[in-house]
């Protein structure tokens, strides 16, 4: 019979606002094919992330730059 039976595991991770913004932007760039083989944005691609107003404002991610053939916009989801 076990004497110690753990019931709960707690884990804490800390992420800065800048890290969140960069991760969101990199995810968008990856989805549209705007990252090079080195994982960095293609030449001329610029991005910015802006927070909406209030607690429920979310984020707006802007991507600008030349539109090479390999960049493709995701299809809108249905439903």
């Amino acid at each position: 019979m076990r004497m110690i039976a753990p019931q709960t595991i707690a884990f804490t991770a800390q992420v800065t606002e800048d890290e969140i913004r960069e991760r969101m932007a990199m995810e968008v760039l990856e989805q549209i094919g705007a990252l090079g083989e080195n994982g960095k944005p293609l030449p001329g691609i610029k991005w910015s992330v802006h927070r909406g107003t209030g607690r429920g404002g979310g984020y707006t991610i802007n991507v600008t730059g030349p539109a090479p053939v390999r960049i493709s916009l995701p299809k809108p989801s249905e439903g």
Side-chain angles (χ1 to χ4, degrees):
M1 173 186 284
R2 293 184 181 173
M3 294 180 69
I4 300 173
Q7 300 298 318
T8 304
I9 296 174
F11 176 80
T12 302
Q14 292 183 332
V15 181
T16 67
E17 181 73 17
D18 289 342
E19 289 173 321
I20 290 171
R21 290 170 184 257
E22 184 173 354
R23 288 179 186 185
M24 287 190 297
M26 291 302 122
E27 184 174 324
V28 168
L29 293 174
E30 180 180 26
Q31 288 177 12
I32 65 172
L35 292 179
E37 292 180 14
N38 61 359
K40 294 184 179 181
L42 294 172
I45 299 291
K46 304 228 182 292
W47 58 267
S48 63
V49 179
H50 303 280
R51 192 168 202 162
T53 57
R55 292 188 70 120
Y59 292 87
T60 301
I61 302 165
N62 298 313
V63 178
T64 59
V69 175
R70 65 182 279 187
I71 291 182
S72 61
L73 297 176
K75 295 179 182 177
S77 60
E78 294 182 19

